[in-house]
Amino acid sequence: MATVSAVALITVCIFIIIQLFHFVQQRRIDDAQQMENIAHTVRQPLSEAVLRADIAGAERILETLKPAGVLSRADVVQPNAFQALHASFENEKPIPRLIARLFELPVQITLPLYSVESSGSPKPFAYLVLQANSTRVYQFILSTVSTMIVTYLLLTLILSVAISWCINRLVVHPLRNISRELQELPPQAILTHKLALPPRHRDDEIGMLIRSYNRNQQVLESVHNEMSRLTTHYAVTDLPNRALFLALLEQHMRSHRKGFGLMVIRIEILQEANGVLSDEQHDTLMLTLAEKIRSTIDDRTLLAQTGPSDFALLMKRASTPFRAMRLARNLMIRLNQPVTLHQLQLRPNASIGLSLRDEERLSANEQLDRATSAMMSARHLGKNQILFFDAALTERGQKRLTQEHDILQGLQDDQFRLFLQPQINMQTGELAGTEALLRMRMPDGSFGLPDEFIVSAEEIGVIAAIGRWVFEEACRILASWQARGVTIPLSVNISAVQLLDAGMVSHLQDLLARHHIAPGSFVLELTEIAQIGDAEVAMALLCSLQSAGVAVALDDFSMGYSSLNYLHQFKSLPVNKLKMDRSFVAALPDDDTMVRIVAAIAEIINLDVIAEGVETPEQRDWLLARGIHIGQGYLYAEALPLARFTQRWLPAANADPQDA
């Protein structure tokens, strides 16, 4: 602001000087013009008085000029410069010599005096010399200068304030904000920082400065990212290296408490090929193997390369030995496939080590060391071995893989059957429906179902295949019955995993349409223990099944929180049956509290109740007394093979050859 004020002050001073000279020059011209007018008024009488040598008259004439005020003296001078007459009107005060020299003061005019009788080209016989009062001009100069100084100083102040405000508003403040933003910038944000472009500075120097800064920041960030990539990624495959993998693993361990698995893979051929393959061929082989691993894992698995022949995987979903072992087995199969490289056919071998997060609070480096140790142990056992850090986990994982194979193979080899248990109208003894129960052939040739079979099937991921087989077999049985005029409903259990499988729903709809199953005869039993993660999705799937004519029953219904939640979620769905938990029936006749409660709930929401586990006549009588008419249990029959069920409960129907 001081610089602006100084420049404005100098500029104003120059304007004052120029205007002052102009005003004074205009004043001199005005004074000269006024004196000429005065001189012409007395020229003729003064000439006559001087020619008559009337000195007193001439002096009187000169004295008449005094009231004009502008004159300080008047003289009559002869051509030879002799002063004939002189008249002084005011005592003229002295003025500074510099002012007189600059502005050419005093102002004088000379008017020739001629004889009245002369003709032709007369010569003046004397001259009238008038001199203006310089004091008045000096006072004018002082007044003008003071006025102009005050005016222009005020103008200078206004201009300085206005210009300074504009500069501060448009330049200083934006620059100050930029400086403050840069000064307060945290170190971690320096590389990615960008300045916002002010709306009024897009095309000026500040806008150019900000755009240049942002461009430089972008280049700097790009260079830093490239340098970071070179220091945190493996050069050939561009996979995270060991340092970055450990950092990502540590971050995952801090933010997720759920289990996860680590896998370390050593591909021996990458070491054996050194010196045999050229650098280009070796890089191509490494990229090919890395791509095989990428194509086998999902987007929730983090892949890294921790050495020239070692790869590490963070398996976020592999929280159980089976899932980790299955992924390792799939990777082993994929990696063992031959690789053709420049007319060379290579068959890679791998050693895989696995480690699951347990209750111990280990660091990321310790977790990776466990998986690496397991990989080294697998390598010492021979080619293509898979080991957990904990030997017991290896056994469990392999056991589950064997179970998966046995179940899938059993479905192909017809090792499964549907046994049927009747649901009886306890008032009349007539068949009211039946439930299909899964059984598999045991080693001794009998049919049964091992404990935790369904839970294991869900864990190892084969429940969907089992469910499809059950649906197909149930629809085949229903179609056979309906072809012979049997219209009783057939109930099939379904798990939450199956219910949330959209492919299962479409598969069941196709089966019902293909076999022309009558609406309401195919019943899905939803068990209370099925934890449905997304109720809205489950309800949408059940609605789609409703349109295909599928009925829904709530199995093992009790008074737990989840049962009440079922009632709330499924009240708008076609739920028309409740299956009372067998523990309530077993308490009869000593304790009928829960039976009465369930019966009351069923009556309120207008649902039929089926009592499971009816084993004694006393239990039957108590249920009938509480308005529950449908019963299922050993009092009537256990689960029977299809042929025996047909023979015992459907004697009027013609035997189907396929029933045997």
Side-chain angles (χ1 to χ4, degrees), residues 499 526 532 535 538-539 542 552 554 564-575:
L499 181 62
L526 303 177
I532 300 174
M539 292 175 69
L542 288 176
V552 177
L554 300 185
L564 297 179
N565 195 35
Y566 272 139
L567 294 177
H568 175 71
Q569 293 180 5
F570 296 150
K571 61 185 180 181
S572 61
L573 292 177
V575 177

Side-chain angles (χ1 to χ4, degrees), residues 553-627:
L554 300 185
D555 194 14
D556 295 337
F557 183 78
S558 69
M559 288 303 297
Y561 166 79
S562 58
S563 296
L564 297 179
N565 195 35
Y566 272 139
L567 294 177
H568 175 71
Q569 293 180 5
F570 296 150
K571 61 185 180 181
S572 61
L573 292 177
V575 177
N576 50 14
K577 295 180 181 180
L578 292 181
K579 296 196 72 176
M580 185 183 302
D581 188 274
R582 64 181 62 249
S583 62
F584 299 165
V585 178
L588 296 176
D590 299 329
D591 184 3
D592 67 342
T593 303
M594 299 305 297
V595 174
R596 287 189 287 109
I597 292 176
V598 173
I601 293 175
E603 184 179 358
I604 292 173
I605 59 178
N606 193 24
L607 294 179
D608 294 333
V609 178
I610 301 175
E612 289 186 296
V614 181
E615 298 182 358
T616 65
E618 291 80 5
Q619 294 172 346
R620 177 196 60 196
D621 296 340
W622 274 84
L623 291 170
L624 289 173
R626 298 296 179 269

Side-chain angles (χ1 to χ4, degrees), residues 1-11 156-157 160-161 164:
M1 183 172 180
T3 303
V4 173
S5 300
V7 172
L9 183 61
I10 294 173
T11 304
T156 301
L157 178 61
S160 299
V161 172
S164 299

